[in-house]
Amino acid sequence: MFKRKAILAIVAFAAVVASSSSVFASAWPVNASGTNTAFGWTSGEHLDFVPDSTAFGSPAVDELGFFFRNDYGDMYFRAEQGGPNTVHGSVDFEFDIAGSNPGGAGPISQIIFRERGTWGGNLADIQIQYDFSMFSASQLLLIAPESIFADFNMDGTWEAEYILTPAGATALNQFFAPIFGFENAQIQITNILHVSGSNPDTFVQKTYSSVIFPEPGTIGLLAVLGGVALIRRRR
């Protein structure tokens, strides 16, 4: 199947944004905090300093991570001609390995950021932008990932994936070692979907977004179940 690539820009938030985000935030209606056998989490929220920030909706959460997929009917992430041509969404949460139940969960060896959705009309008029950042408990910038590429498939679907491993972290990681095996951190994700032009059939919609913390034994299984093509990273 022919696929057209489009780059998804990733910009790291400044630490000052992270430290002030709670002032402009609203909690997820479902699963804003909790624990499971792998980790605990808290402060799950939409960041209200961007319009339409609740577009992500509430995540389902299990031992593998956070899954925004409209399980609770509160996800609306669609930009289209004849409707909103730009849709923003921004979320923030903290997770704590030491807070898992039972305690002593194993260290995180990878973090997988994965999304997919649908599109139609003129692909040249579709834009997707990502901001993805991780902070330590002290609110200092911890990870600034590389650019992500999305696959826009000719069957009207699109997909994107970024896998963060120790080798993918920036030089700043040296000051916060060991990041993989850490006890707590804060993640922020902001997406913007935008359509332009005059084609009335042009739209782009996100139907799934996830942040996954796989155990080493489940990494290969996730790659099969996800059904997502590997993303070529520009270095």
Side-chain angles (χ1 to χ4, degrees):
M1 179 180 298
F2 174 78
K3 296 180 180 180
R4 177 172 176 173
K5 301 283 188 179
I7 190 169
L8 308 181
I10 295 190
V11 182
F13 280 98
V16 66
V17 174
S19 62
S20 61
S21 63
S22 60
V23 177
F24 308 98
S26 58
W28 296 332
V30 182
N31 287 334
S33 62
T35 60
N36 56 41
T37 57
F39 59 87
W41 74 98
T42 187
S43 303
E45 57 194 11
H46 301 286
L47 304 184
D48 295 336
F49 51 76
V50 295
D52 310 317
S53 64
T54 59
F56 269 94
S58 303
V61 188
D62 62 23
E63 289 78 4
L64 290 178
F66 296 78
F67 303 87
F68 298 88
R69 56 195 179 199
N70 207 32
D71 288 22
Y72 306 103
D74 56 358
M75 179 182 187
Y76 186 81
F77 222 133
R78 179 185 175 99
E80 60 186 347
Q81 287 294 341
N85 69 347
T86 302
V87 180
H88 298 71
S90 188
V91 293
D92 176 276
F93 60 91
E94 299 176 11
F95 62 99
D96 186 353
I97 297 300
S100 60
N101 183 20
I108 293 173
S109 59
Q110 288 190 348
I111 298 177
I112 302 175
F113 174 59
R114 180 178 290 159
E115 292 203 332
R116 58 178 177 259
T118 57
W119 69 277
N122 188 0
L123 182 55
D125 292 335
I126 294 174
Q127 298 174 346
I128 305 177
Q129 178 177 332
Y130 286 84
D131 301 325
F132 179 94
S133 299
M134 180 181 291
F135 299 85
S136 70
S138 61
Q139 299 298 300
L140 295 174
L141 180 62
L142 192 60
I143 293 174
E146 305 169 18
S147 294
I148 294 177
F149 286 83
D151 284 320
F152 283 84
N153 306 317
M154 301 315 294
D155 65 356
T157 62
W158 62 268
E159 55 202 28
E161 181 177 279
Y162 178 79
I163 301 178
L164 179 66
T165 62
T170 69
L172 287 175
N173 257 5
Q174 298 174 11
F175 298 99
F176 300 100
I179 167 60
F180 293 85
F182 62 126
E183 291 190 348
N184 60 74
Q186 178 181 359
I187 286 179
Q188 292 183 359
I189 304 170
T190 294
N191 287 180
I192 302 174
L193 304 185
H194 176 74
V195 297
S196 57
S198 58
N199 185 329
D201 298 323
T202 299
F203 76 92
V204 58
Q205 179 167 332
K206 186 200 316 251
T207 58
Y208 173 89
S209 180
S210 64
V211 180
I212 303 171
F213 316 121
E215 296 178 356
T218 65
I219 291 173
L221 178 62
L222 278 172
V224 174
L225 295 178
V228 179
L230 292 178
I231 300 305
R232 298 179 179 90
R233 294 183 297 169
R234 176 176 298 171
R235 297 191 179 275

